[in-house]
Amino acid sequence: AAAPVRAQGTGTASDFYMQYRKAFAAAKKIEDLLPMMAADVRKQIEATPAKERPEMFEMIKMMGDITNIKVVKETATKTGATLNVEALDPDKKKTTGTVQIVKEGTAWKVGKESWSSGM
């Protein structure tokens, strides 16, 4: 098993991701999450016209509607960590994901997330 990656004073990438998921659940608009997102993800969001962002956020919220999230493995990378994650989708079926957590300065940020349900 890979040892968790530790950031000074900020816990592991896994700890950060769980904080992000709490913020995600509480977020009312995409801008609420921007401080926790990696620079390249922020650029994509900020490139979306402001009037289209609420619709984009609704789509992200629908796709991100998962519960019982567990990080099963955290692997250190050159830029931060890769998390292997399990959760339940809206139909209560098991879904697995890979989440890139990047280190920007001294802070963890969420990069690319990809999920797939067991069909």
Side-chain angles (χ1 to χ4, degrees):
V5 181
R6 291 219 174 259
Q8 282 193 298
T10 59
T12 65
S14 298
D15 294 339
F16 167 76
Y17 184 66
M18 297 310 285
Q19 291 167 2
Y20 168 78
R21 292 304 309 188
K22 281 187 188 138
F24 181 89
K28 300 291 182 231
K29 58 190 188 304
I30 193 69
E31 289 79 5
D32 296 342
L33 299 171
L34 288 178
M36 300 180 95
M37 293 181 168
D40 58 335
V41 176
R42 282 183 71 131
K43 270 189 204 117
Q44 287 179 333
I45 291 165
E46 289 165 346
T48 303
K51 68 180 188 296
E52 293 174 23
R53 289 182 198 167
E55 198 172 292
M56 176 184 67
F57 183 60
E58 285 308 309
M59 181 81 102
I60 292 169
K61 284 289 261 197
M62 270 185 355
M63 290 169 42
D65 185 17
I66 53 175
T67 56
N68 290 33
I69 302 163
K70 290 184 199 78
V71 176
V72 291
K73 186 177 176 196
E74 179 175 316
T75 308
T77 65
K78 284 182 184 160
T79 57
T82 298
L83 306 180
N84 294 86
V85 187
E86 290 180 353
L88 296 178
D89 70 14
D91 298 325
K92 302 296 177 219
K93 290 187 175 72
K94 184 177 168 182
T95 182
T96 56
T98 304
V99 182
Q100 302 302 321
I101 303 292
V102 296
K103 199 67 186 281
E104 292 180 358
T106 58
W108 292 118
K109 303 286 181 167
V110 175
K112 189 171 183 270
E113 273 188 86
S114 60
W115 290 88
S116 60
S117 291
M119 301 284 162

